[in-house]
């Protein structure tokens, strides 16, 4: 079988270029240009090709495009950023201090821009996974199967979006208020777990560079740790 012809011509990127230039886009999200549903559906068709545990494909993508709902979701996201329960991404083990070009301050600066524009971003994607019960998230081994059955599809979506000139950024602050977000979006909270909130917009310009990372030898282990 083959997939339908794409509605938007893909950029001329090699697979390696696509994989090395799909950045977290915040400042270069063009909030003035609408994103057609057909392009989102094309990217979702590609995401559907990702692996999932026992091929159960129990994930769903909720695209929020209605301005009032986007505004309400953005408000929850902003509250999550400052919530005492919010995980602080610069705490704990990290390699970013010596990999990001200007370290955490540069990310924080671009994050502040996202805070300002979030409700104007034309599409907010909430990837979700269906669960038997939320107790599935208590056990790390089961949890690995749960997250592992939605995150590959989500990243595939983000790669497909980049290949068409759309920018995305993985974010999680609204999850500190997941129950309220579920009520806002009509999601069954007990059976559906939200895993991110991904703003989507056309990018301002299409050229992105590979990011600096630590030498690969620092992250690779052979045969033992
Ligand atoms: C689990 C996860 C959570 C993240 N949360 C946020 C977030 O809340 N806000 C944000 O602007 N970026 C967030 N990011 C994006 C990272 O900051 C970004 O991937 C990282 O700085 C590296 O930048 P790059 O993807 O452009 O290489 C998150 C990424 C991941 C994987």
């Amino acid at each position: 079988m083959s997939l339908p012809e794409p509605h938007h011509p893909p950029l001329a990127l090699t697979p390696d270029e696509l994989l090395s230039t799909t950045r977290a886009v915040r400042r270069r999200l063009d909030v003035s240009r609408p994103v057609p549903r057909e392009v989102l559906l094309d990217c979702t068709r590609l995401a559907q090709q990702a692996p999932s545990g026992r091929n159960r494909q129990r994930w769903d993508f909720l695209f929020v495009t209605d301005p009032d709902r986007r505004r309400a979701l953005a408000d929850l996201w902003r509250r999550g950023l400052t919530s005492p329960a919010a995980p602080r991404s610069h705490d704990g083990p990290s390699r970013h201090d010596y990999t990001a070009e200007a370290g955490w301050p540069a990310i924080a600066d671009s994050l502040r821009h996202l805070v300002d524009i979030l409700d104007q971003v034309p599409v907010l994607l909430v990837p979700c996974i269906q669960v038997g019960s939320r107790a599935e998230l208590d056990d790390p081994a089961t949890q690995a199967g749960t997250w592992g059955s939605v995150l590959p599809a989500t990243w595939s979506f983000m790669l497909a979006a980049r290949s068409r000139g759309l920018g995305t950024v993985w974010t999680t602050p609204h999850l500190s208020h997941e129950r309220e977000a579920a009520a806002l979006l009509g999601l069954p909270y007990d059976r559906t777990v939200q895993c991110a909130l991904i703003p989507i917009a056309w990018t301002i310009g299409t050229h992105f560079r590979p990011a600096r990372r630590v030498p690969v030898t620092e992250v690779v282990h052979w045969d033992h740790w």
Side-chain angles (χ1 to χ4, degrees), residues 26-27 100-112:
R26 305 179 188 90
R27 288 181 182 285
E101 260 133 76
W104 174 250
I107 298 175
D109 200 44
S110 123
L111 179 57
R112 269 190 289 277

Side-chain angles (χ1 to χ4, degrees), residues 22-24 26 77 107 111 114 169-173 211 213:
T22 303
R23 296 268 71 78
R26 305 179 188 90
W77 188 94
I107 298 175
L111 179 57
L114 187 61
V169 49
W170 199 294
T171 80
T172 51
R213 299 289 195 240

Side-chain angles (χ1 to χ4, degrees), residues 88-161:
R88 296 177 59 192
S89 55
H90 49 299
D91 284 348
S94 168
R95 291 189 167 106
H96 82 233
D97 288 345
Y98 53 99
T99 56
E101 260 133 76
W104 174 250
I107 298 175
D109 200 44
S110 123
L111 179 57
R112 269 190 289 277
H113 177 75
L114 187 61
V115 172
D116 290 343
I117 62 155
L118 188 63
D119 49 340
Q120 300 162 45
V121 178
V123 185
L124 303 177
L125 164 61
V126 180
C128 305
I129 178 101
Q130 297 172 30
V131 291
S133 83
R134 286 201 160 238
E136 270 184 36
L137 297 176
D138 294 344
D139 163 50
T142 315
Q143 209 184 98
T146 303
W147 296 126
S149 292
V150 55
L151 304 190
T154 306
W155 183 239
S156 285
F157 177 92
M158 293 166 79
L159 291 168

